[in-house]
Amino acid sequence: MIDYKELAGLLFPDIDKTPDYYESLYPERNLKEGARVSRFSPSPTGYLHFGGLYAAYASMLNAKTTDGVFYLRIEDTDKKREVEGGVDAIVDGLNYFGLKVDEGVTGSGSEKGNYGPYTQSKRAEIYQTFAKSLVEQGLAYPCFCSAEELEKIREAQAEEDIKGYWGKYAKCRDLSLDEIKANIESGKPWTLRLRSTGNVQNRIKFDDIIRGKIEMAENVIDVVILKTDGIPTYHFAHAVDDHLMRTTHVVRGDEWIASVPLHLQLFRALGFKPVKYAHIAPIMKEDDGGKRKLSKRKDPEAAVSYYAEEGFPKESVCEYILTILNSNFEDWRRANKDAELSAFPFNLKKMSVSGALFDMMKLIDVSKNVISKMTADKVFDLSYEWAKQFDEKLAALYEKDNEYAKAVLNIDRGNKKPRKDIAKWSDIPDYISYMYDESFTPCFELTGNADAALAVDVLEKYRDIVDLSDDKDEWFEKIKSICAPCGCTPNVKEFKQNPDAFKGHVGDVSTVIRVALTGRPNTPDLYSITALLGRERVIERIDNALNFYREEA
Ligand code: GLU
């Protein structure tokens, strides 16, 4: 048997700390019974994916609903996949949606918390300390196989069930100390491999919080735990970090399920208590009658920056995420209409096993509802912030007169049944366009029973009596009062009973006025619109419409 201690010293001459040092540097957390520690640990590969936000949300709620800790760790061990600004894109994305981390990476190179560094590239010495200890115990060994040799193994295993560095293929597993020394002296690069204690006959069982009981073959592969540059693979970093950061629950994508036997083996080899796993299925999308994963390449809504650009308020996106995170959320929301999202009793167990479905129409509905409950001031403030970045024209309209803009946004707001016209801030320019001469586009198309002749009649009479100082009742009485002289009835029921006796009803009369003033057959409260437009514009728009209809009639 070779002297593992000597081997460890040979491989890691500069490592002078021991696992015990780090165990006491990062002690067990002093949290109340049942408090969970969860993390979001993305790789900084460019931008925050909607699926990432969804997973981060689940992880955060898992911690917050138990008064635990939620932290952000950056997994940047694969420098090839890293994109400049990738970390800040993640931090900004989480911040935008109000996902507050208790600890971890906070952007612009900073971190907070006592269990850091929270960036894997700053933890090389920690990983190497634990790797050295594995070598000392004979649980890890250096492998000098070149890429070509490994490729040959792959080819030789083409027909085999178990693929990888194991059994007779694990050539470096039993090198003598002299052979290892010679390799090192000749400058051969080496990776460090786990000496797997697994057996092909054995099965392991574990409980996944989302998927329930899972049984799988034990890991027999001697996987690489440190690469040639001394940087760990995901597997090794996961075990070391989640243990030292005292994570209790690992909430991550289900592409990692296949690696759980290896991860449990690593925890055991390292002497760590295993974490609990919750594997999340990817977000799906309906496409061509089938379902597929929400894709970075095909779906703009896969990037969370899309929501900011379109102007979906974070309140809406968070509310929507909860509807797809837990199937009982919507019932809860019906029973708790005005409650804060944080009051929802989120449960990892209620997450979908097959993958939540992303549905843009549903997001739009949820968002309309969320925005309909906001005050005009809030809608103004949030949409103004958005406009300054994404829609200069809207920002300029707002800046002409803030109070006018707020009054426009306040139409039909604050009552029992607020209208649900706005799903995202980019809907606002169209929604308010007729309230500004700059963007008003006249359109004289009529709906219902009205025609050009009736329109001329109605507008001539309305022009004579319109008075902007009328209150809402007086205003409506006046509209009713012109019905009979125009051959219409103020009573819709009466019209329905005897349609041939009238040219239309009060609804048609209102439509004529509405279309003249706004260019649209459907708008929020016409009385408020009229009042805000002011006498001058009202008369001007009526005159324009009259010119048009007179030619038509
Ligand atoms: N960095 C890994 C990934 O982005 C994280 C998986 C995990 O949460 O453990 O897939």
Side-chain angles (χ1 to χ4, degrees), residues 155-176:
E155 281 164 19
Q157 290 177 333
E159 304 296 313
E160 293 187 18
D161 288 342
I162 304 174
K163 298 188 171 30
Y165 203 84
W166 79 290
K168 65 176 182 197
Y169 299 102
K171 286 200 282 185
C172 297
R173 197 173 219 248
D174 296 312
L175 294 182
S176 68

Side-chain angles (χ1 to χ4, degrees), residues 122-358:
K122 297 184 184 152
R123 301 173 60 81
E125 201 185 341
I126 303 178
Y127 303 121
Q128 288 171 19
T129 302
F130 283 86
K132 183 174 185 181
S133 152
L134 287 182
V135 175
E136 282 172 355
Q137 299 167 72
L139 294 170
Y141 63 88
C143 168
F144 299 91
C145 288
S146 64
E148 293 75 45
E149 283 169 295
L150 295 175
E151 182 53 40
K152 272 199 200 118
I153 295 177
R154 265 190 289 276
E155 281 164 19
Q157 290 177 333
E159 304 296 313
E160 293 187 18
D161 288 342
I162 304 174
K163 298 188 171 30
Y165 203 84
W166 79 290
K168 65 176 182 197
Y169 299 102
K171 286 200 282 185
C172 297
R173 197 173 219 248
D174 296 312
L175 294 182
S176 68
L177 197 54
D178 286 342
E179 287 169 308
I180 293 173
K181 273 186 191 157
N183 280 332
I184 290 177
E185 268 158 34
S186 69
K188 267 199 183 178
W190 53 271
T191 59
L192 194 73
R193 287 186 183 272
L194 172 73
R195 188 187 300 276
S196 174
T197 49
N199 185 309
V200 268
Q201 271 94 47
N202 291 352
R203 314 268 304 160
I204 61 142
K205 289 187 187 142
F206 70 96
D207 262 319
D208 184 276
I209 299 178
I210 297 172
R211 303 175 155 248
K213 292 205 180 331
I214 299 183
E215 195 187 307
M216 290 167 95
E218 195 170 47
N219 172 61
V220 294
I221 313 294
D222 287 355
V223 290
V224 172
I225 56 177
L226 289 184
K227 295 180 264 187
T228 48
D229 52 6
I231 295 299
T233 53
Y234 167 76
H235 310 297
F236 192 58
H238 153 50
V240 171
D241 291 349
D242 282 313
H243 171 70
L244 291 182
M245 295 177 189
R246 307 293 172 179
T247 309
T248 61
H249 289 66
V250 167
V251 180
R252 64 182 180 188
D254 66 3
E255 68 274 21
W256 296 110
I257 287 192
S259 309
V260 172
L262 163 63
H263 295 166
L264 292 175
Q265 199 174 75
L266 277 167
F267 274 78
R268 193 157 8 97
L270 288 157
F272 300 160
K273 179 173 172 229
V275 288
K276 292 204 165 62
Y277 290 105
H279 286 99
I280 301 185
I283 307 268
M284 308 299 283
K285 182 173 164 152
E286 260 167 16
D287 188 18
D288 247 350
K291 274 201 224 167
R292 61 164 174 79
K293 284 188 201 172
L294 188 66
S295 136
K296 263 200 221 181
R297 244 178 341 102
K298 296 188 200 151
D299 309 310
E301 68 271 28
V304 297
S305 51
Y306 168 85
Y307 304 91
E309 282 157 24
E310 288 290 307
F312 279 104
K314 64 166 195 257
E315 291 83 349
S316 301
V317 179
C318 292
E319 179 96 10
Y320 176 65
I321 290 181
L322 272 166
T323 65
I324 56 174
L325 267 178
N326 264 187
S327 49
N328 56 330
F329 175 76
E330 288 182 88
D331 287 341
W332 176 84
R333 178 46 97 203
R334 270 188 286 276
N336 300 277
K337 285 208 164 52
D338 298 315
E340 296 281 329
L341 283 186
S342 54
F344 174 67
F346 170 78
N347 190 343
L348 279 178
K349 286 201 171 92
K350 295 209 170 89
M351 287 185 72
S352 161
V353 174
S354 56
L357 201 59
F358 183 92

Side-chain angles (χ1 to χ4, degrees), residues 432-497:
I432 64 171
S433 62
Y434 52 80
M435 298 307 293
Y436 289 89
D437 290 341
E438 294 87 332
S439 50
F440 171 51
T441 333
C443 170
F444 302 111
E445 234 169 83
L446 293 165
T447 56
N449 305 299
D451 61 10
L454 178 64
V456 172
D457 221 5
V458 166
L459 291 174
E460 282 177 348
K461 294 194 168 57
Y462 183 64
R463 190 186 193 285
D464 286 345
I465 54 169
V466 60
D467 180 349
L468 277 271
S469 61
D470 286 344
D471 67 19
K472 193 162 180 179
D473 291 336
E474 290 162 341
W475 167 82
F476 195 50
E477 280 312 312
K478 278 190 181 163
I479 291 188
K480 285 204 272 191
S481 77
I482 53 178
C483 288
C486 294
C488 295
T489 164
N491 185 333
V492 183
K493 230 189 205 164
E494 190 180 23
F495 177 83
K496 282 195 179 142
Q497 278 160 1

